[in-house]
Amino acid sequence: MILDAQVSARTNRRIDRRIKEAGFKIRAHPQEIDYHHERGLTGSALADVLSLGFLRHHQGVIISGPTGVGKTFLCCAIGMAAISKEYAVRYVRLSALFEEIAVARGAGAYMSYAAKLRSKDLLIIDDFALAPIPSRGSRELLDLLDDRIGTSSTMIASQVPVGSLHQSFEDATVADAVLDRIVHSSRRIEMKGESMRKLLAPPKEEE
């Protein structure tokens, strides 16, 4: 019993450390996913992703849908499920990722930074293509994805439908290469509906 308690305590500490390292925007859990509002989510649609089969096969996930439908929450919930199975996860917004890469290159520490990202079993990139992706950024993204192909998984969340992502890149040639590495090997979850912030907002008091 003492040995079991020690093993459990070490596992919990390791999971807590990985949660902190992941940098989730939201502390979300799979059991908290809301299936009551019409958002294109069903238990069967998510079962395959939440079973983490995509991680075992080094595939990706693309979550798309309008603003406010819960893409970030869903990303973080899937990431939390992965950590509970002791996968290493990192969550980052695309704009922040570009900033981190620029800082690492300026400090002469890019190789170390890239190695840390490469070590993550799941890289979650949120707010993908929220703004036009510049040529320099798209090349950085291509290098990053090349490092992960066949060895780990990448999840992206975007307001832009998959069929329109190409138009978000300033460099069409690099866009082809980036999307080729993302789209064809990824499971897709297409969300819809009104903003959850609107649906869950308290009713306004009558004047």
Side-chain angles (χ1 to χ4, degrees):
M1 290 176 63
I2 293 174
L3 180 60
D4 287 344
Q6 289 179 339
V7 170
S8 179
R10 289 180 180 179
T11 299
N12 289 338
R13 285 196 297 271
R14 187 162 58 248
I15 288 176
D16 286 343
R17 184 178 69 251
R18 287 185 174 178
I19 291 173
K20 291 178 182 178
E21 291 173 349
F24 292 124
K25 182 177 181 179
I26 301 171
R27 281 288 189 101
H29 299 272
Q31 60 269 27
E32 298 171 338
I33 295 172
D34 186 339
Y35 296 102
H36 297 96
H37 294 91
E38 182 58 42
R39 296 187 294 158
L41 294 178
T42 63
S44 57
L46 282 179
D48 183 52
V49 172
L50 290 174
S51 72
L52 306 179
F54 74 96
L55 275 172
R56 292 188 289 274
H57 293 94
H58 308 308
Q59 296 173 325
V61 176
I62 301 174
I63 301 175
S64 60
T67 184
V69 293
K71 298 184 297 298
T72 295
F73 187 98
L74 186 57
C75 282
C76 293
I78 296 169
M80 193 70 77
I83 286 179
S84 71
K85 297 299 182 182
E86 301 204 49
Y87 287 102
V89 179
R90 174 74 200 284
Y91 167 94
V92 65
R93 295 169 63 247
L94 183 61
S95 59
L97 177 65
F98 289 156
E99 289 175 7
E100 290 179 6
I101 290 174
V103 169
R105 287 199 182 280
Y110 177 75
M111 297 304 292
S112 175
Y113 173 81
K116 286 183 179 180
L117 284 185
R118 192 163 52 244
S119 72
K120 303 301 181 183
D121 301 300
L122 174 60
L123 175 63
I124 301 172
I125 306 177
D126 200 358
D127 289 339
F128 192 93
L130 188 61
I133 300 174
S135 298
R136 174 71 179 270
S138 62
R139 290 193 295 271
E140 300 282 16
L141 192 57
L142 178 59
D143 289 343
L144 187 155
L145 292 172
D146 264 340
D147 282 346
R148 303 182 62 77
I149 292 295
T151 61
S152 50
S153 297
T154 303
M155 178 185 301
I156 69 169
S158 179
Q159 294 181 27
V160 181
V162 173
S164 301
L165 280 174
H166 194 281
Q167 301 169 24
S168 301
F169 291 78
E170 291 183 356
D171 188 321
T173 301
V174 181
D176 289 337
V178 169
L179 295 177
D180 181 67
R181 287 157 176 77
I182 293 176
V183 175
H184 302 303
S185 62
S186 294
R187 321 282 175 94
R188 299 188 194 181
I189 299 175
E190 297 180 3
M191 302 179 70
K192 60 183 181 180
E194 290 192 85
S195 168
M196 293 296 289
R197 301 181 188 92
K198 177 181 177 181
L199 292 173
L200 300 178
K204 295 182 179 179
E205 295 183 2
E206 294 185 4
E207 296 182 359

